[in-house]
Amino acid sequence: MPVMRALTKATKQALLTPGCGCWTAAIAVRTIGFSPRQVTSDASFHSVSFSEADHPKVLITGGLGQLGVGLAKMLRKRFGNNNVILSDIRKPPNHIFHSGPFIYSDILDYKNLREIVVNNRITWLVHYSALLSAVGEANVQLAQEVNITGLHNILDIASQYGLRLFVPSTIGAFGPTSPRDPTPDLCAQRPRTIYGVSKVHAELMGEYYHHRYGLDFRCLRYPGIISADSQPGGGTTDYAVAIFHDVSKNGTFECNLKPGTRLPMMYIDDCLRATLEVMEAPTEQLRMRTYNINAMSFSPEELAAEVKKQIPDFQITYNIDHVRQAIADSWPMNFDDGNARNDWGWKHVYDLPKLVTTMLIFIGSDSRLAHAN
C-alpha cells in the first residue's frame, strides 16, 4: 500500500508545504524497492564543461521549495531561461510555471528521472528534494524513502550520464559528539535525526561515487537559511524566518527554542551564490567534495535584540519545543568554513544587521519600522 495513504491529512498537508529553514520539497512516495543499477568501474565519466557547450543544462529536483525557485531565477539570468528546468511532484503556482521550464518529476521513479535527463540533455543536476529535520522525525519511514532511496536514484543516473551533481547537506549532519564551536569540515558526526543520518549518507555516497566512478559530486553543508520568499516549513532553524512574519503581523513572536540557542545562519542570497560558485569552481580547486559554508551565528535573543533596534516595541516570548530544542542542542553553534574560503574563494555578504534590515523590508514590516522611527 502506498505510504501516502497511511498518512494523516495533517501530515500530508505538512509535507506539501514549501520549507524555509534549510530546504524542503514535498515528494509523493511509493513503497518501491531499490535495486542498484550497474555502473561499470572502467567507464570514463566527465561533466560537460563550458568549452564543450555554451552553457550547462540544469535540472533542479524539489524545485518548488524556496531554494529551488531562487536558484532557478539566478541560473536563468546567467545561463538563459530555457537552460534551467525546475521539477517537483506538486502543481506550480502560475507565476512560477510561466517564469521558465517546469516538469513533473518524482525522484522515486527511476525511469521517469532517466527520461528527463536524456530528453532534455541535462548536464548539471541540483538535488533539493528532502524532508527537513522536525518533519522527518515525525515520519521516519517517509524520510528514508525520500532522503535515501531518492538519493540513490539520483546518484546512479548522474553517474550513468556524466552529470555534475550538487546535493546540499546541513548543520544537521553533525551530532552531540561533534565539536560545536567551531565545527570543522572533518570531525565525528553521528547525528541523531533521520534527516541528519540521511545527509551524512549523502555526503559519503557522493564521495564514494566520485572516487569509484568519477562522478563530479559537489556538496555544501548549509547553515540555517533565511528567506522572505516563503513560509517556514518544518526546520529547526525556521524560527529565524517565522520571527519576521510575526513581527510584520503583530509585533510579537513566540519562539520554540531557548533564548541562548546559538546556531549558524545565512541569508538566502549568500546561500544561492555559494551554490553557483561551488558548481562553477574548477575541479582542481576542490580539495574536498563536501564543504562547510557560513555567514553568521546568533541566538534567538540576539536576533530579537537586533530586531528591537529597528522596532523598539517588538516583544519576544518563549515556549520551548523539546523535540526541536534537542535537535538544536546537538547541532553546531558555529561553522568553520575556512576551507571553502581558501579553496574556491567563498565570502559572505550579509551579516546580522544587514539580514534584519533586509528581512523587515521584504516581508512588509517596513511600515511598522517607519512608524517606530
Side-chain angles (χ1 to χ4, degrees), residues 5 9 60 68 85 108 117 121 130 144-145 155 166 169 189 194 200 209 230 244 265 299 316 328 333 343 368 371:
R5 293 182 188 171
K9 182 177 181 181
I60 303 174
I85 302 173
L108 295 180
V117 168
R121 301 179 62 83
Q144 289 175 322
E145 290 286 328
L155 287 169
F166 177 82
S169 190
Q189 293 184 251
I194 187 60
V200 174
Y209 269 65
S230 57
F244 294 103
M265 300 283 187
S299 65
I316 186 170
M333 299 170 64
D343 289 1
R368 181 184 295 274
H371 177 74

Side-chain angles (χ1 to χ4, degrees), residues 57 88 101 112 231 246 321 354 373:
K57 193 69 179 289
D88 211 307
N112 172 247
Q231 295 288 331
D246 285 9
D321 180 324
K354 185 173 182 178
N373 288 340

